[in-house]
Amino acid sequence: MRLPPAPGQAQTLLMVHSLRDKRLEQPLRERERESETQLLPGRDLIASRTPCLSIFTGAAPYPGRETVQVYGTVKTINRGNPTAQEVLVDSWPEFKVVLTRPRREVVSDDSDLYTNTYTVYYQDLGAYHAMLGSAGAVNWGQNFRILGLQDGVYEVCKDIAEAKGIKLEVVRYFTYFHPDPSSMPEIRLDPTVRLSSLDVSHADLLNEMWQLGGNEKSRKYLASLIRHFPSVCLLDAAGHPVSWIASYPFGAMGPGYTLPQHRRRGYMGMLNNLLAKQLHALGYPSYGYVAMENDPMQRLQETQGFQRQPNLWYFILHNPAPAKAPTLTPSPAPGTAPP
């Protein structure tokens, strides 16, 4: 089975490849035959490397909304792969489960759950269970996060973790998706602030305000987001950020925040609008997640045309050494963007 499309991307062909690959003009089937794969020990899993994983679309658009995290990661890989991601499938070219993860050579710190983030989409729950339980797909000795938009993502994680005597933490968020950010209205900027993008020098401030931040690993992760992915912010007269929103390697909007003394001025709405359009122009789905108790952000999303999806966003944390990583605290201050 082939992966359904991401919303708004019907009839699109994605290729996971290195920008150094000089064979992109070859016919697709020839590239597929020549694609480099790695058989993982114990299972017939395939780690798609330099060239290439192709994901066809062509089904109805709605099923693709369960794939946006994987789709966003693949899009990032196609845009140069700045965070060194790779894609695993259970078989090729027909597959039932897709898992993205950072390449092993970039996850040198077993306690770094920020870098060590997986996204998953499955067509067959049994195939997903087999992949997650196989040797080499997931390193259960590391801190990691698994993100998914299907109920079975957590159920399978929980089943395997219990068999290993491991406890997991899970937080469920509402998922919001905008079907056409180009239709969002033009914004009128407050003359007391200046529009900009985030700079790496702002990482300390973001780290202080982020609900999952406050440590050196989170600071480095945020600096990487600022360096490699779209972001927007508003600066005061002194050039200091007062409101901001960044984006993730899997294409979602966030983390975002508005300083308390600058709230109720519509700043997050402006930035939400601008970043959604930026991501859409780059070919990413425009989507994010919001804490279930964050009513102000939910109202903002819906006012701007974002649609709450029936699928919850599962944020699964595996932390074998709790002292080395933060505990999830999913309740942002009122008026903030999704974390």
Side-chain angles (χ1 to χ4, degrees):
M1 186 175 294
R2 298 195 184 276
L3 193 66
Q9 300 292 331
Q11 305 304 324
T12 300
L13 173 65
L14 295 181
M15 301 297 297
V16 176
H17 60 272
S18 166
L19 292 184
R20 294 186 298 272
D21 184 10
K22 303 301 183 183
R23 301 175 300 160
L24 300 183
E25 299 305 318
Q26 292 176 272
L28 172 63
R29 292 301 178 186
E30 185 177 348
R31 291 201 304 271
E32 288 181 341
R33 287 193 298 270
E34 295 181 4
S35 57
E36 299 175 10
T37 60
Q38 174 188 2
L39 295 181
L40 300 180
R43 297 281 181 178
D44 292 331
L45 302 181
I46 300 174
S48 179
R49 286 292 208 164
T50 310
C52 60
L53 168 68
S54 60
I55 299 176
F56 286 95
T57 63
Y62 175 71
R65 298 191 183 181
E66 296 175 347
T67 76
V68 289
Q69 296 161 335
V70 168
Y71 184 97
T73 304
V74 170
K75 188 72 178 177
T76 293
I77 294 172
N78 278 331
R79 290 181 55 80
N81 205 7
T83 52
Q85 302 291 307
E86 64 184 4
V87 181
L88 277 67
V89 293
D90 60 318
S91 59
W92 185 254
E94 302 293 330
F95 53 88
K96 298 177 182 177
V97 56
V98 184
L99 183 76
T100 73
R101 69 182 188 191
R103 292 181 178 175
R104 294 303 168 88
E105 59 265 28
V106 303
V107 189
S108 56
D109 184 346
D110 287 346
S111 67
D112 187 359
L113 63 83
Y114 302 97
T115 301
N116 203 13
T117 297
Y118 298 73
T119 68
V120 64
Y121 169 76
Y122 64 83
Q123 297 269 13
D124 181 274
L125 192 62
Y128 170 51
H129 195 290
M131 173 179 280
L132 207 64
S134 65
V138 172
N139 185 346
W140 290 87
Q142 292 180 324
N143 292 353
F144 61 77
R145 305 181 294 176
I146 294 181
L147 310 179
L149 297 174
Q150 296 164 284
D151 292 342
V153 171
Y154 172 60
E155 296 304 324
V156 167
C157 285
K158 180 181 176 183
D159 183 54
I160 294 175
E162 287 179 350
K164 295 177 178 290
I166 294 172
K167 290 185 178 180
L168 297 176
E169 182 179 357
V170 61
V171 180
R172 299 166 178 86
Y173 295 88
F174 289 132
T175 308
Y176 282 88
F177 169 81
H178 201 295
D180 183 15
S182 64
S183 67
M184 298 174 75
E186 296 297 319
I187 65 164
R188 297 184 64 180
L189 191 63
D190 185 333
T192 65
V193 292
R194 178 166 58 88
L195 181 65
S196 183
S197 57
L198 288 166
D199 183 84
V200 173
S201 64
H202 301 145
D204 287 339
L205 176 62
L206 268 66
N207 192 36
E208 180 183 353
M209 300 303 174
W210 192 30
Q211 62 173 11
L212 300 182
N215 60 80
E216 181 59 19
K217 293 182 179 65
S218 58
R219 190 198 66 80
K220 289 181 178 178
Y221 179 73
L222 291 167
S224 176
L225 298 186
I226 294 170
R227 186 176 293 112
H228 297 302
F229 300 102
S231 66
V232 286
C233 70
L234 296 174
L235 306 177
D236 63 15
H240 300 140
V242 299
S243 184
W244 59 83
I245 185 168
S247 56
Y248 291 103
F250 41 92
M253 300 168 63
Y257 191 80
T258 299
L259 296 178
Q261 63 270 33
H262 293 276
R263 291 179 186 162
R264 301 187 181 278
R265 302 179 187 180
Y267 289 169
M268 188 53 63
M270 296 179 195
L271 299 183
N272 219 41
N273 177 309
L274 292 169
L275 186 61
K277 291 175 179 176
Q278 280 191 35
L279 291 168
H280 179 71
L282 293 172
Y284 287 97
S286 296
Y287 75 109
Y289 59 103
V290 181
M292 292 182 176
E293 60 273 27
N294 191 347
D295 294 332
M297 192 60 190
Q298 293 169 29
R299 288 194 295 270
L300 172 62
Q301 296 281 347
E302 291 163 10
T303 299
Q304 293 192 316
F306 284 82
Q307 301 168 354
R308 183 189 296 182
Q309 301 303 296
N311 310 81
L312 293 178
W313 180 303
Y314 288 87
F315 189 117
I316 304 161
L317 172 68
H318 170 245
N319 182 8
K324 295 184 180 180
T327 298
L328 289 176
T329 53
S331 301
T336 67

